[in-house]
Amino acid sequence: MSRRRLQPEVMAAPTAPMHGRDSGFTLIELMICITIIVIIAAVSIPNLVRARMVSNEGAAVSNIRTITTVEQQYQAAAVLAFPSGMGQYGTLPQLAATLPAFIDEPLGLGLRQGFLYLVVPGGVDGSPIFACNADPIAMDGTGSKGFFADESGVIRSAAGGVAGPADPPVQ
């Protein structure tokens, strides 16, 4: 006689019929969810825009610091071309066009991370000068401050406008 185990029969639980109101969310539930999403967006989007502006301004200060450093290097590399033995400073396209380049191409075009950069070299042989400005493309959109530096290497800022040599230094 063989021994067989008896398996208990599995009975399926009866399912309730699906009615129209049991099959999804009500309009009120959807409206509450959308309202919560709108409130979260209204709180977070201004903070996101402000954080992006602060980030762009930090990058602008860093880029101006880079420009002042490479201007000194460019001037030192050009000493043989001038009778005084003191080279002149270069524009952004000149700094980007050297081999090897002192700065990368996007910065050499004067546009990076929401700021417009301009470098104006000047002075005479033996007494070169330059001025560098970084201004937001959209005031209070990509930044809220303008930045300035010259051959002294001091970076200055002005809230809401173009910075110049009389503005306070960046802290």
Side-chain angles (χ1 to χ4, degrees):
M1 185 164 163
S2 76
R3 291 189 165 184
R4 267 176 88 193
R5 279 191 153 162
L6 296 174
Q7 297 289 331
E9 291 184 27
V10 177
M11 299 206 41
T15 58
M18 295 292 279
H19 298 292
R21 62 181 200 155
D22 292 338
S23 63
F25 296 108
T26 66
L27 182 60
I28 297 295
E29 291 170 331
L30 289 173
M31 289 179 69
I32 289 172
C33 290
I34 290 171
T35 303
I36 291 170
I37 291 169
V38 167
I39 290 170
I40 291 171
V43 169
S44 64
I45 289 175
N47 291 335
L48 178 65
V49 169
R50 181 69 190 140
R52 185 170 179 127
M53 282 179 25
V54 169
S55 173
N56 288 346
E57 290 171 358
V61 169
S62 177
N63 290 332
I64 285 190
R65 187 169 289 121
T66 297
I67 290 169
T68 58
T69 301
V70 300
E71 283 287 9
Q72 300 299 326
Q73 294 170 348
Y74 182 84
Q75 182 197 25
V79 296
L80 299 177
F82 295 93
S84 68
M86 181 180 277
Q88 294 286 51
Y89 295 111
T91 63
L92 288 176
Q94 289 171 332
L95 295 173
T98 59
L99 290 173
F102 285 98
I103 57 174
D104 61 358
E105 188 176 337
L107 188 55
L109 295 174
L111 184 63
R112 179 179 271 176
Q113 293 165 314
F115 274 76
L116 183 63
Y117 297 87
L118 178 66
V119 174
V120 179
V124 295
D125 185 26
S127 183
I129 60 171
F130 77 91
C132 175
N133 280 84
D135 299 310
I137 294 171
M139 189 58 72
D140 293 330
T142 58
S144 62
K145 297 178 187 174
F147 298 97
F148 170 85
D150 57 14
E151 65 280 353
S152 69
V154 177
I155 301 172
R156 301 176 180 281
S157 69
V162 177
D167 289 312
V170 172
Q171 296 290 324

